[in-house]
Amino acid sequence: MAIIMHEFKAADLHKLDPINQDKEVTYTFNGMTNHEISNCTTKKYKSPFSVIVPLQHYFNVLGFHLPRSNNIPFVFYEYTAHLIELIAEFEWSAVFQYYSVFFNCHQLEMAVGDYSGWEIPAMDLLSKHVYAYRKAMPGKQPRTAGNMCTSNPTDICHKYNEGKCTMTPCPWGCPHSCTTCGKTDHGKHQHKN
């Protein structure tokens, strides 16, 4: 009943997930009119699936009780797609905080029949909760496989000497210098045999 009356809060989403439905929720006041879910709750929602799956149940229940002649299911689809894009690019805990506040902010709008806010990303909330928490890009993190630098920061970058590591600073944290002459302006690959 709370779903169709628009009284269902983001913190209650676990009730729609058979795996997490018995978890307790802790609130903190965010300085506005809404309460945010505390970091301990974020730990209980350890993966995006712990939100995405019950969120789809929420949208299904809500959609079942809404008039059939509107585009509300499309609006919910747009929000879910937006959330998944955020999950792919930013840290989960940051996306979770954004989702929680975004969800709660739209309860009043839905109570008066306005569902359009779900398809529009909230730039102010994204700036406050998400944008500073971009995930590290794959391939940019140090690895120690093959002939790359080992975990010792004094080891010279083998890829640089082969002409394959062109980024400065070295993404593997190794110094760029020639293994033949020790100069830093070129790698071994530029020496003639």
Side-chain angles (χ1 to χ4, degrees), residues 7-106:
E7 297 169 355
F8 195 84
K9 299 295 181 196
D12 297 328
L13 197 62
H14 65 93
K15 295 175 182 177
L16 299 176
D17 185 356
I19 297 171
N20 294 316
Q21 63 183 263
D22 296 328
K23 304 231 177 188
E24 292 296 319
V25 177
T26 305
Y27 293 94
T28 57
F29 187 67
N30 72 0
M32 299 185 317
T33 59
N34 297 318
H35 287 82
E36 294 180 14
I37 298 173
S38 74
N39 289 336
C40 69
T41 303
T42 304
K43 292 175 187 170
K44 292 177 184 175
Y45 289 101
K46 293 179 182 176
S47 78
F49 294 110
S50 62
V51 168
I52 295 292
V53 172
L55 184 62
Q56 294 311 301
H57 293 304
Y58 170 81
F59 288 150
N60 288 340
V61 169
L62 198 55
F64 182 78
H65 293 282
L66 294 173
R68 300 277 180 234
S69 63
N70 57 39
N71 68 343
I72 294 171
F74 177 74
V75 170
F76 292 151
Y77 170 79
E78 287 293 314
Y79 175 71
T80 303
H82 166 64
L83 203 58
I84 291 170
E85 289 172 1
L86 291 175
I87 290 165
E89 192 172 346
F90 298 95
E91 296 295 330
W92 168 236
S93 60
V95 175
F96 180 77
Q97 287 297 321
Y98 167 77
Y99 144 78
S100 299
V101 176
F102 186 95
F103 185 103
N104 292 336
C105 286
H106 291 293

Side-chain angles (χ1 to χ4, degrees), residues 106-190:
H106 291 293
Q107 295 300 309
L108 292 174
E109 295 171 358
M110 291 191 308
V112 295
D114 181 7
Y115 296 83
S116 63
W118 284 92
E119 69 180 323
I120 303 166
M123 300 312 272
D124 58 331
L125 296 177
L126 288 167
S127 295
K128 180 179 178 183
H129 297 285
V130 177
Y131 289 150
Y133 300 96
R134 187 174 304 275
K135 288 181 182 176
M137 297 299 293
K140 304 278 184 194
Q141 296 178 344
R143 292 183 282 163
T144 59
N147 59 354
M148 295 177 203
C149 179
T150 63
S151 59
N152 185 348
T154 61
D155 288 347
I156 294 172
C157 181
H158 299 289
K159 291 285 187 186
Y160 176 76
N161 278 283
E162 294 172 3
K164 296 179 182 175
C165 182
T166 57
M167 297 181 65
T168 302
C170 177
W172 295 280
C174 300
H176 283 179
S177 61
C178 178
T179 55
T180 302
C181 67
K183 292 185 179 179
T184 59
D185 63 343
H186 65 274
K188 180 179 179 178
H189 70 284
Q190 292 181 335

